[in-house]
Every structure is written in C-alpha cells, then in structure tokens.
Amino acid sequence: MSKPASGTSGTQASDSVLARYEPVIGLEVHCQLKTASKLFCGCSTKFGALPNHHTCPVCLGMPGVLPVLNAQVVDYAVRMALAIGAQVAEVSVFARKQYFYPDLPKGYQITQYDLPYCSGGGVRLSSGKFVNMTRIHIEEDAGKNVHADSASFVDLNRAGIPLIEIVSQPELASPDEAADYLKRLRSLVRALDISDGNLEEGSFRCDANVSIRPIGQKTLGTRCEIKNLNSFRNIEKAIGYEILRQADVLDNGGAIKQQTLQFDAGTGRTSAMRSKEDSHDYRYFPDPDLGPLRISKERVAVIRAALPELPEAMAERFKREHGLNDYDAALLTSDRDLAHYYEKTLKLVGAKVQPKIVANWITSEFLREVNTREWNLAAPPLTAEHLAELLRLIGDETISGKIAKTVFETMVSEGGAPAEIVKAKGLVQVSDTGAIIAVIDKVLDASPKQVADYLGGAEKLIGFFVGAVMKESGGKMNPGLVNKVLKERLEARKK
C-alpha cells in the first residue's frame, strides 16, 4: 500500500480525496480547570514541580483512602455548560473507568459515563456553522510516562488533576473546521477564567476521532482516534494526514481498522499505538466511594448570574460600539487578554484616535511582535499605556504614521516612552508651511518631466511627488499638509 506524502495537510492535498470521500470528525477536548488543588485531594496543581512532588495517598490510590470532591471544580464545570447553552443535570454520577497503564496508579480513572453532569449545547464556527456537543463530563487526569533511551519513568504530579472532557458530535468536516472549533473553545474557557488553555503545558489538549465515507453514504465509516494533540497546527496536520491515509487504504481495497493512533509532528504521520477500545472494554461502574453529584437549580442560577461577557457577544459589541469589521472584532476577542489590551488602549488614546486605527495597530504591529517574541498577552513588555501614547502622538500630528512605526520598533527593541524617543531622535513632525514649501519646490525643480506630465493630466503622479517630498525630508513632513501644499504649488506652475 502506498503512503500519503509525509507532512501533507488535508487542505493542501485532499481536493481529489474530498471529491470521493466525506470526512467525519468528532473531537474530545481535555481541558484542565485552573483550581489550586486536585479533583479529589488537596495536592497542588501547579505546573513544573519536580516529578512526583505533588502527590499524596489519595491521588496515588493507596488502600483505605477516600476521595473528596473539589467544589470549585463543579462551579467551573457548570460555568462552561452554561456558556455553550447546555443542560446541567441536577443529578449526575461518578464512575470508575478501568484500564491498566503505568501512569494510572489506581488501575482506574474516576470520570463520568452514562450520567454526566452536562449534555447538549454547542459552538458556532467563524463560517456560521453550529457544532453540537454530545456531553461534557468531569474527570481526573492520569500521570505522565517519561521515556528515556534505556528506561521509562512515571511522573504522577498530574494524576488527579481536574479536567472537563468536552465531546463534540461528529459534525466537523475538515482539518480547518477542527482547528477553528478548538480555537473558539479555548477562547471560551479563557474568557470564563476556568482554564489557562495552555497547549504547551497540556492543560488544553485534544483527541480526534476521524473517519471517512464515500460521498452520499449515510453509514459512518470506521473511526480511528488520534491521541493527545496539543497544538492547533499539529491538529490540522494530523487530521489531514489521517484523512489521506484512510482514503489510501480504501482505494487499495483495504479496510480501516479501529485503532488508537499517535501523531509524529516530525514526520507529519500518524501511527498505531493499540487497537481502539469500546466502552464495554473499560467495565464502567458507579464509584462506590462517591455519592451522586447533586447540582441545585439555585446554584446554577448563581453561577449564571456571574458569567462574564463571552467572546461572541464581545465581538458583536466591538462591531456595534467601535465600528470594527467582522475580522478585526473576531481577532481581538479571540483572546481575553488581547481584548482587554485593546479596550484599555482605546480608553487611553482619547477622542483624536479612531477605534479602527487602534485595532489596526494591535492586529498588525503589536500582534506581529507578540508572535515573533512570544510575549505573554497577560503582561506584554509593550504596555497599553505606551501604545496609547504613541497613537496620541499621531493623533495630535506630533509625528506621522511612518515615523510612528520607527518609534514603535525602538520601543520594542530598546524600551522607553514614545515621547522621549521622539525627542531624543529628533523625530517631531514638520508642520511649518514655509519649510514644507521649500522641500516641495526643491523636488518639483528636480522633476521637470513629471511636473509637465502632471500638468498635462497625469494626476496619478501626485503619489510620486508625495513620496519624493517625504524621502527628502526623512519622513518628517506632515503628510496632510504635504498633499495640500503640493497641489497648490503644482497649480501655481500652470500660470
């Protein structure tokens, strides 16, 4: 059987495949809740501790210990359910999911099975498509296997970490849709302040169930599950490769085996880990040490009343109040800290700078530096106060937009307040009409052919003259005045 090209993404190479097969994708997202302690014990959830330092008899599954449910986990879980419009069950049940891996000290995982706390609801994609949820349930995390050249080790710091598992219906149809869905989920849990959504640290990761079926067929194909994807790029690449792999198997007369897969980001390929279990393989039964979870309507009402403004509603407000387009509003509200940075900057700039200009600077120059320099949006080195000061200097015509970009680069690379940089480098914009006339006349005198062509009707040459004046002045001339005076000096040459 031939292999799909290494690293090929679904969006790059699936056109011919999609003409014959329909991908069906469902995602299971494991989201770590940002509580200080674990789900059933008082151990710390802080990331980065030495191996096996955040453990106790409860999360290690020692004989004779009993779990005690963390109440804040339930509040956070309900917050998520309400945010996606789901139903919260008044009574749900914790179950034991039996499986035997080195990183699961009890030999079972405490989770929820046939009676989860949440069902229904959904998330709307940027395309407008609504993706329905099957369920959300509360569960504890397993530990972590660490593999070295000659041995493997187990770190149980994560064992017992509180998670919600968010399970979508199999309604996603492409790698792009899957990535968009996950970005919107991550934005939501961060806006709710129930998770840091950190993919690199494993607090927001995804298992993807992927199958394909011939176009027009109603029966679902055999699914394979790709485990523990922890970056948006890898999610797209893994699903894209798996679609092509399954199409290749079917095209060559084979049958898809139900398997659990891993994804190698280096090769861009999925590979089999083990045969995929079904629910009966886990031998679920209600946990005898935990009674039913009862969530009263009154408790739900209190949590609902305290919900923050959610990204979709915030984007609509940005469009309505600040005149932003769909793209800018969606981008600025895709991250809670970015949205707060925009609103803080907008508040500080004052009336001379339009909201759209503030949005343009943040979505272009600022976000470029965030991505390049890997800034933490919660506390970026370039503060909202300094960006607002820079934009005010443009608004009151102290500097031009071109000079502002030079000042911005200095702020990023060297630090310092914008006004101090402008003063130290002598970058104040020239708005003296006499000085502008002198530079314009010099440029016009040096360009007789272009002047004649302009006067003969080639009015597009105005851009040439403006560029020449700005170059001659080192970009310091007031561009508005340059345009006005330039046209007056050209008109004067007709006489």
Side-chain angles (χ1 to χ4, degrees):
M1 184 186 72
S2 61
K3 288 285 187 182
S6 174
T8 303
S9 75
T11 53
Q12 288 176 322
S14 63
D15 287 348
S16 62
V17 170
L18 294 179
R20 294 176 288 117
Y21 295 106
E22 177 191 5
V24 180
I25 303 161
L27 300 182
E28 301 171 4
V29 177
H30 296 86
C31 175
Q32 178 179 334
L33 301 176
K34 56 185 295 186
T35 57
S37 57
K38 293 184 180 181
L39 182 53
F40 296 114
C41 67
C43 290
S44 172
T45 59
K46 188 174 181 180
F47 181 81
L50 291 172
N52 299 304
H53 273 53
H54 290 168
T55 58
C56 73
V58 174
C59 55
L60 292 178
M62 297 294 186
V65 298
L66 292 174
V68 177
L69 179 61
N70 185 331
Q72 190 175 46
V73 168
V74 178
D75 289 344
Y76 283 177
V78 171
R79 198 180 295 183
M80 182 63 187
L82 296 176
I84 64 166
Q87 293 78 48
V88 177
E90 288 192 59
V91 180
S92 59
V93 173
F94 285 103
R96 291 186 178 182
K97 180 182 181 181
Q98 318 288 322
Y99 60 99
F100 302 97
Y101 295 148
D103 59 359
L104 195 68
K106 293 194 289 283
Y108 62 86
Q109 177 189 32
I110 301 178
T111 182
Q112 293 186 313
Y113 176 50
D114 54 342
L115 294 172
Y117 88 95
C118 167
S119 60
V123 171
R124 191 169 303 281
L125 305 183
S126 57
S127 64
K129 177 178 179 177
F130 190 80
V131 179
N132 291 283
M133 297 294 183
T134 301
R135 57 190 281 150
I136 306 177
H137 58 262
I138 301 168
E139 66 181 21
E140 61 179 350
D141 206 351
K144 180 181 179 182
N145 293 320
V146 182
H147 304 291
D149 291 338
S150 58
S152 292
F153 305 90
V154 179
D155 178 6
L156 295 174
N157 282 342
R158 288 197 67 88
I161 289 282
L163 307 175
I164 50 174
E165 182 172 343
I166 307 162
V167 183
S168 79
Q169 294 276 18
E171 296 176 347
L172 297 162
S174 71
D176 292 340
E177 281 193 355
D180 185 26
Y181 167 83
L182 289 167
K183 288 174 183 176
R184 287 176 176 267
L185 267 190
R186 181 178 181 271
S187 175
L188 191 56
V189 299
R190 284 175 52 78
L192 292 168
D193 201 28
I194 63 174
S195 174
D196 61 20
N198 193 316
L199 284 84
E200 292 78 12
E201 294 180 2
S203 56
F204 191 87
R205 59 192 193 271
C206 166
D207 298 341
N209 291 287
V210 181
S211 67
I212 62 173
R213 60 187 174 187
I215 295 292
Q217 177 178 301
K218 299 300 181 185
T219 306
L220 291 174
T222 302
R223 66 188 172 95
C224 293
E225 183 181 36
I226 313 170
K227 296 292 286 185
N228 291 330
L229 299 168
N230 62 355
S231 81
F232 297 128
R233 181 62 181 147
N234 283 346
I235 287 157
E236 287 190 86
K237 290 173 66 177
I239 293 174
Y241 178 84
E242 183 58 20
I243 291 169
L244 299 183
R245 184 193 72 83
Q246 292 187 22
D248 198 43
V249 170
L250 296 179
D251 287 344
N252 283 277
I256 304 299
K257 297 178 181 179
Q258 184 168 310
Q259 294 176 312
T260 297
L261 308 173
Q262 60 186 351
F263 176 68
D264 186 325
T267 65
R269 295 181 173 183
T270 58
S271 60
M273 294 171 63
R274 58 184 180 270
S275 60
K276 170 66 180 165
E277 299 90 344
D278 286 313
S279 59
H280 62 264
D281 294 318
Y282 294 118
R283 303 187 312 283
Y284 288 96
F285 65 88
D287 192 302
D289 294 334
L290 289 162
L293 172 60
R294 302 182 186 277
I295 305 173
S296 68
K297 292 180 179 179
E298 292 76 16
R299 184 176 184 180
V300 172
V302 169
I303 295 170
R304 188 190 301 277
L307 285 178
E309 185 179 30
L310 301 179
E312 192 171 339
M314 185 181 288
E316 290 300 317
R317 178 170 64 81
F318 279 15
K319 289 190 288 184
R320 184 177 65 253
E321 294 182 359
H322 307 317
L324 302 186
N325 58 34
D326 289 343
Y327 175 81
D328 286 342
L331 180 56
L332 289 169
T333 57
S334 64
D335 185 277
R336 176 194 60 183
D337 294 322
L338 182 63
H340 291 169
Y341 187 93
Y342 170 69
E343 292 211 284
K344 186 174 183 180
T345 305
L346 189 60
K347 183 178 180 181
L348 292 168
V349 294
K352 288 187 177 181
V353 183
Q354 295 298 313
K356 174 61 177 172
I357 293 175
V358 178
N360 287 345
W361 273 82
I362 291 177
T363 58
S364 54
E365 272 72 20
F366 177 73
L367 274 186
R368 182 189 65 237
E369 298 301 331
V370 168
N371 295 327
T372 301
R373 299 172 185 270
E374 298 183 345
W375 285 349
N376 177 5
L377 274 172
L382 182 63
T383 65
E385 287 80 4
H386 276 176
L387 181 58
E389 183 181 329
L390 178 65
L391 298 181
R392 286 199 303 271
L393 292 175
I394 303 172
D396 63 19
E397 300 187 342
T398 300
I399 59 174
S400 67
K402 182 178 180 180
I403 291 296
K405 291 187 178 181
T406 301
V407 176
F408 181 87
E409 291 172 3
T410 303
M411 292 163 61
V412 169
S413 60
E414 302 175 16
E420 294 173 359
I421 295 169
V422 168
K423 183 178 179 181
K425 293 182 177 290
L427 298 174
V428 174
Q429 180 171 261
V430 176
S431 295
D432 177 74
T433 304
I436 292 174
I437 289 173
V439 174
I440 287 175
D441 286 346
K442 181 179 179 181
V443 167
L444 297 182
D445 290 343
S447 312
K449 182 180 183 305
Q450 288 84 356
V451 171
D453 289 345
Y454 176 87
L455 296 177
E459 295 185 355
K460 290 184 179 179
L461 282 169
I462 193 70
F464 165 80
F465 294 123
V466 171
V469 171
M470 298 306 286
K471 182 178 180 181
E472 181 68 26
S473 68
K476 294 181 182 179
M477 295 293 182
N478 182 319
L481 275 176
V482 166
N483 271 280
K484 177 177 179 293
V485 175
L486 183 56
K487 290 176 181 177
E488 291 173 353
R489 300 304 289 173
L490 283 165
E491 287 296 317
R493 296 204 174 205
K494 286 183 178 179
K495 301 172 183 178

